[in-house]
Amino acid sequence: MAVDYTVEWTRGESEREGTPLAVLLHGHGANERDLLGMVPGLPEEFTYASVRAPVSMGFGAYTWFDLDVERLAYSSTAARQAVEDLWEWIDSVRGQHTSVTLIGFSMGMALGTSLLRTRPEAFRAAVGLSGFAVDPERGEGMKAYFDDDALAAAKLPFFWGRDQEDPIIPQEMVDYTHTWANSTLKLTKVLYAGAGHGVVPQEISHVNEFLRMTALRS
């Protein structure tokens, strides 16, 4: 059964046809409003769709799949189901847009990079902020689910912004993500001192430049 996502759009339905689409994927414990504050600093050519994760945590907080916050441990089966559910929604809207780009924060970056690894040809570019990529060795069946060879062949532009002192993402996840991204993506990596587990204005400016140079370049 398809998930009935709550989505915050920056254009009305009649204004979306023929525009590039940027899908915003928030982090654990947030909601679809969380990343919209970035939009005024990003290219106006896009239609932005900020998607609410489907699992309610109560009090306006949502997650893409259950997470043990202390260890950042999760079920690979649940993570895979979250990716497949989101694919159904993307496929239902992508036909009216000229391209699809992903922008994910924290757990949203984990979900976004997992989408890239299943159908890289579907995306123009992607952005990951203060997050990580799923290590397929941590979950049964995930290695076969991802197609990193196809992703590497696609040379997909990817922007990864983070603070080296991020207090949330464990170093082992950062190390894995760095190795994986260097070997499979056309990587732009920038560190932002003082950002913590968040996004700073300079970072938004850099994401704007990145999107203009990649996703909007014909």
Side-chain angles (χ1 to χ4, degrees):
M1 181 178 179
V3 174
D4 185 16
Y5 290 101
T6 295
V7 182
E8 190 83 19
W9 294 88
T10 58
R11 295 181 193 267
E13 190 169 357
S14 63
E15 302 173 311
R16 300 171 198 163
E17 186 75 34
T19 62
L21 174 65
V23 179
L24 304 178
L25 304 171
H26 65 75
H28 175 77
N31 60 44
E32 74 279 8
R33 303 292 302 170
D34 189 56
L35 298 181
L36 289 175
M38 295 175 54
V39 169
L42 300 179
E44 62 184 13
E45 290 89 339
F46 283 99
T47 291
Y48 295 89
S50 190
V51 185
R52 178 195 292 175
V55 182
S56 175
M57 301 170 62
F59 304 101
Y62 296 84
T63 185
W64 297 100
F65 45 86
D66 289 332
L67 182 73
D68 179 337
V69 178
E70 293 296 321
R71 300 180 296 118
L72 285 194
Y74 51 86
S75 159
S76 61
T77 301
R80 176 171 176 167
Q81 188 60 55
V83 172
E84 293 183 352
D85 288 341
L86 195 54
W87 262 125
E88 287 193 43
W89 176 80
I90 291 174
D91 282 338
S92 74
V93 300
R94 65 193 300 266
Q96 64 183 320
H97 297 281
T98 55
S99 65
V100 181
T101 293
L102 300 173
I103 303 174
F105 174 79
S106 195
M107 182 190 270
M109 175 176 163
L111 192 69
T113 50
S114 295
L115 288 164
L116 299 182
R117 298 167 85 172
T118 56
R119 286 166 54 187
E121 75 285 351
F123 301 105
R124 181 68 60 85
V127 173
L129 306 172
S130 301
F132 62 96
V134 171
D135 183 349
E137 299 293 348
R138 291 167 61 119
E140 184 178 349
M142 294 301 284
K143 194 166 186 177
Y145 184 55
F146 291 150
D147 191 349
D148 282 346
D149 289 340
L151 183 56
K155 295 181 170 57
L156 193 83
F158 184 80
F159 181 97
W160 183 20
R162 57 179 295 270
D163 183 354
Q164 197 152 341
E165 304 300 324
D166 187 323
I168 301 297
I169 308 301
Q171 189 60 44
E172 66 180 73
M173 288 188 171
V174 172
D175 292 343
Y176 169 77
T177 302
H178 185 260
T179 300
W180 167 77
N182 267 323
S183 63
T184 57
L185 297 163
K186 188 176 180 182
L187 177 64
T188 299
K189 178 189 173 188
V190 186
L191 297 174
Y192 299 93
H197 191 64
V199 180
V200 294
Q202 184 184 32
E203 191 171 5
I204 296 173
S205 176
H206 289 163
V207 171
N208 176 58
E209 294 172 13
F210 170 81
L211 293 175
R212 291 196 176 280
M213 291 294 292
T214 57
L216 294 182
R217 175 170 284 184
S218 58

